[in-house]
Amino acid sequence: MRKRPIYAELSENLVQAIKNGDYAVGSLMPTELEIAAERGVSRATVRSALDRIESMGFVTRQKGVGTRVIAANPGGYNASTASIEELAHFGAATERIIIDQRDIVADEELARRMGCAPGKRWYLVSVMRIEPGSAAPPICWTDNFISPEYAEVARSLPGQRGLIADLIADQYGVIVDEVVQTIRPILLDDKKADALKSVAKSPALEIVRRYQSAGSPIYISVSQHPGDRFSYRMSLRRR
């Protein structure tokens, strides 16, 4: 994984300071010049960091006034398909059953599906999602490809239902600010069909989600849902 941009690290430090109460909700943060001097970075780096935390809903910025803290824990992020908050709700409402975990290297076919470069190393955690207390068949099979820098979060997964992105944020301070989602039709292979109590070569939907921080994926999930267990609804409004 390429070295993270300085502005991304600075923005995450500022977010942590907001969450810790160092910058109280309703208060003005130091100026760009003051932060630059304190942190030993350029003013352009500070501006990019503040732009990022503004886009995440922590602050508002107004020329002539400054940067004001408006939330210590913003509720969610707008997106063209589904919000990070909605993904977290799905994770909390279902149970994760770990099937396998290991180091892998993405070959050309896998890299094409994931949208990454061939030859990149990942830590793979394969899971099934089930509805707790229900006799219904599994909801989906998900392969989670975690960048090796954050692979230790896999130790925290047993019994944990939330997003892997939240674990990475808690343990490493790296914040996901965008989820890029791709949905495509597939046919289930024998292994996945058997595990999901479905029929081999039957139609399914594959959902690839790239969880990105400052433009770089920190992990990628590839979920396969049998066609009779998944529906997707999106409302479009004229603006």
Side-chain angles (χ1 to χ4, degrees), residues 36 43 77 110 135 148 169 186 198 207 220:
R43 185 175 181 180
Y77 302 89
L110 178 59
I186 62 164
S198 188
I207 304 176
I220 301 173

Side-chain angles (χ1 to χ4, degrees), residues 10-30:
L10 174 59
S11 66
E12 285 152 6
N13 289 338
L14 294 175
V15 165
Q16 194 58 55
I18 291 172
K19 291 184 174 182
N20 290 343
D22 298 338
Y23 304 126
V25 174
S27 68
L28 288 174
M29 294 182 65

Side-chain angles (χ1 to χ4, degrees), residues 147-192:
S147 194
E149 294 90 335
Y150 315 117
E152 283 296 311
V153 299
R155 296 178 181 272
S156 304
L157 290 180
Q160 196 270 355
R161 293 185 182 179
L163 292 178
I164 292 175
D166 290 340
L167 289 177
I168 292 174
D170 290 343
Q171 295 185 27
Y172 296 93
V174 176
I175 300 172
V176 167
D177 48 29
E178 182 181 26
V179 180
V180 180
Q181 179 170 271
T182 303
I183 302 176
R184 61 171 67 97
I186 62 164
L187 299 177
L188 286 176
D189 63 27
D190 293 350
K191 177 182 178 181
K192 306 285 176 58

Side-chain angles (χ1 to χ4, degrees), residues 20-208:
N20 290 343
D22 298 338
Y23 304 126
V25 174
S27 68
L28 288 174
M29 294 182 65
T31 66
E32 292 178 1
L33 287 175
E34 289 170 338
I35 295 175
E38 178 187 350
R39 305 280 178 156
V41 297
S42 70
R43 185 175 181 180
T45 296
V46 175
R47 186 177 298 116
S48 295
L50 292 175
D51 285 344
R52 186 176 184 226
I53 66 173
E54 181 181 31
S55 71
M56 291 190 284
F58 287 94
V59 301
T60 58
R61 307 185 69 201
Q62 185 176 349
K63 188 174 182 179
V65 176
T67 301
R68 188 175 300 279
V69 179
I70 59 171
N73 290 286
Y77 302 89
N78 292 328
S80 60
T81 51
S83 73
I84 295 175
E85 188 177 40
E86 288 169 336
L87 295 177
H89 175 74
F90 171 76
T94 61
E95 185 175 347
R96 180 189 286 122
I97 307 298
I98 297 176
I99 306 299
D100 184 29
Q101 48 185 314
R102 54 194 166 89
D103 292 302
I104 68 156
V105 176
D107 59 21
E108 290 191 4
E109 192 278 331
L110 178 59
R112 179 187 59 78
R113 289 171 60 209
M114 294 169 60
C116 70
K120 177 171 172 53
R121 294 185 176 276
W122 299 91
Y123 189 72
L124 169 63
V125 181
S126 297
V127 307
M128 284 196 301
R129 285 282 190 178
I130 64 171
E131 185 178 349
S134 172
I139 298 168
C140 66
W141 176 292
T142 301
D143 289 324
N144 297 286
F145 299 90
I146 305 171
S147 194
E149 294 90 335
Y150 315 117
E152 283 296 311
V153 299
R155 296 178 181 272
S156 304
L157 290 180
Q160 196 270 355
R161 293 185 182 179
L163 292 178
I164 292 175
D166 290 340
L167 289 177
I168 292 174
D170 290 343
Q171 295 185 27
Y172 296 93
V174 176
I175 300 172
V176 167
D177 48 29
E178 182 181 26
V179 180
V180 180
Q181 179 170 271
T182 303
I183 302 176
R184 61 171 67 97
I186 62 164
L187 299 177
L188 286 176
D189 63 27
D190 293 350
K191 177 182 178 181
K192 306 285 176 58
D194 183 61
L196 293 169
K197 297 180 172 57
S198 188
V199 179
K201 304 300 187 291
S202 62
L205 285 177
E206 181 173 87
I207 304 176
V208 179

